[in-house]
C-alpha cells in the first residue's frame, strides 16, 4: 500500500463523511449572481497551492458575511426585519461552503491535514448555513449564532494552516495575494480570485431563498 493508495483512501473517507451535508448549487440569474461560486462541487481543486488559496478566499468571504450580519443586527429591526436576510445564506453557501468543500479535502490528500479536522470545519459551515436559513424564514431571527459559528470556522481553518508545511502555506498565500482585484468579479477566472474580487468590489449576489 503506497502513498497514492493512502491519499485515495483519505479522499474517499472524507467524501463519505461530508456527503450528507453538501450544499445545493445556486443558479445564477444575472451578472451580479455570477459572483456566486457554488458550482462543480464534484470537482475537487487538486492543485495544492490553489486549494489553500481558495480556503483563504473563503475566509475573506466569511469576514464579509460577518460584517453584513452585524449591519443587519444594528439596522434590521424586529418584528418586520425589512432587509434581505437571504443574502447571508446565499453568500455563505456560494462563497464559503461550496469552495471549501472543493478545496479542504486536498489539504488532507496532499499535505496530510487531519481529515476529521477538515470535516469539523465543514460541519460548522453547514450549521452556519442552517442558522442563516432559519433567520431568512423569520421564525426566530438570531444575529448572535452566526458570528459564534464563524469564529469556530475561522479557528478550525487556522488550526489546519498551522499543521501545513510552511512553504506550502506560503505558496497558497502567494497565489491568493496575486489576484488582480481590479478585474470585474463577474469575469471568468480562478475561483479564489473571483471570490476575492466579489468581496473587494462588494458584489451582492442575487437570488436567495424567500
Amino acid at each position: 500500500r503506497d502513498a497514492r493508495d493512502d491519499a485515495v483512501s483519505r479522499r474517499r473517507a472524507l467524501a463519505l463523511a461530508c456527503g450528507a451535508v453538501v450544499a445545493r448549487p445556486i443558479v445564477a440569474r444575472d451578472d451580479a449572481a455570477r459572483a456566486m461560486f457554488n458550482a462543480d462541487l464534484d470537482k475537487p481543486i487538486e492543485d495544492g497551492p490553489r486549494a489553500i488559496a481558495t480556503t483563504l478566499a473563503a475566509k475573506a468571504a466569511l469576514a464579509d458575511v460577518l460584517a453584513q450580519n452585524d449591519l443587519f443586527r444594528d439596522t434590521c429591526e424586529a418584528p418586520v426585519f425589512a432587509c434581505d436576510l437571504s443574502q447571508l445564506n446565499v453568500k455563505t453557501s456560494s462563497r464559503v461552503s461550496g469552495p471549501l468543500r472543493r478545496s479542504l479535502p486536498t489539504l488532507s490528500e496532499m499535505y496530510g491535514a487531519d481529515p476529521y479536522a477538515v470535516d469539523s470545519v465543514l460541519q460548522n459551515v453547514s450549521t452556519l448555513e442552517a442558522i442563516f436559513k432559519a433567520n431568512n424564514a423569520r421564525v426566530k431571527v438570531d444575529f448572535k449564532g452566526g458570528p459564534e459559528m464563524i469564529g469556530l470556522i475561522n479557528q478550525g481553518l487556522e488550526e489546519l494552516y498551522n499543521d501545513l508545511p510552511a512553504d506550502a502555506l506560503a505558496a497558497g498565500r502567494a497565489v491568493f495575494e496575486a489576484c488582480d482585484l481590479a478585474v470585474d468579479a463577474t469575469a471568468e477566472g480562478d475561483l479564489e480570485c473571483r471570490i476575492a474580487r466579489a468581496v473587494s468590489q462588494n458584489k451582492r449576489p442575487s437570488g436567495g431563498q424567500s
Side-chain angles (χ1 to χ4, degrees), residues 158-175:
E158 288 298 328
E159 290 173 353
L160 285 170
Y161 296 152
N162 288 338
D163 287 339
L164 295 178
D167 59 341
L169 183 58
R173 288 193 186 281
V175 170

Side-chain angles (χ1 to χ4, degrees), residues 44-67:
I45 298 171
E46 297 179 328
D47 177 88
R50 275 206 60 227
I52 294 172
T54 300
T55 70
L56 293 169
K59 202 167 183 289
L62 270 177
D64 178 59
V65 170
L66 177 61

Side-chain angles (χ1 to χ4, degrees), residues 127-143:
T127 300
L128 180 63
E129 291 178 279
I131 290 171
F132 288 150
K133 285 179 181 178
N135 281 358
N136 190 44
R138 291 171 169 76
V139 175
K140 180 181 179 182
V141 176
D142 172 18
F143 290 121

Side-chain angles (χ1 to χ4, degrees), residues 48-141:
R50 275 206 60 227
I52 294 172
T54 300
T55 70
L56 293 169
K59 202 167 183 289
L62 270 177
D64 178 59
V65 170
L66 177 61
Q68 188 168 29
N69 179 88
D70 290 347
L71 176 65
F72 286 166
R73 179 197 62 203
D74 296 337
T75 62
C76 193
E77 297 181 357
V80 178
F81 298 108
C83 52
D84 186 4
L85 292 177
S86 73
Q87 290 291 297
L88 297 173
N89 184 57
V90 171
K91 284 184 175 182
T92 300
S93 294
S94 60
R95 299 178 183 177
V96 180
S97 178
L100 286 181
R101 294 182 196 287
R102 294 182 60 196
S103 58
L104 282 180
T106 299
L107 273 59
S108 293
E109 178 176 334
M110 291 200 65
Y111 305 117
D114 183 353
Y116 294 102
V118 168
D119 184 52
S120 178
V121 171
L122 295 179
Q123 292 287 353
N124 286 336
V125 171
S126 292
T127 300
L128 180 63
E129 291 178 279
I131 290 171
F132 288 150
K133 285 179 181 178
N135 281 358
N136 190 44
R138 291 171 169 76
V139 175
K140 180 181 179 182
V141 176

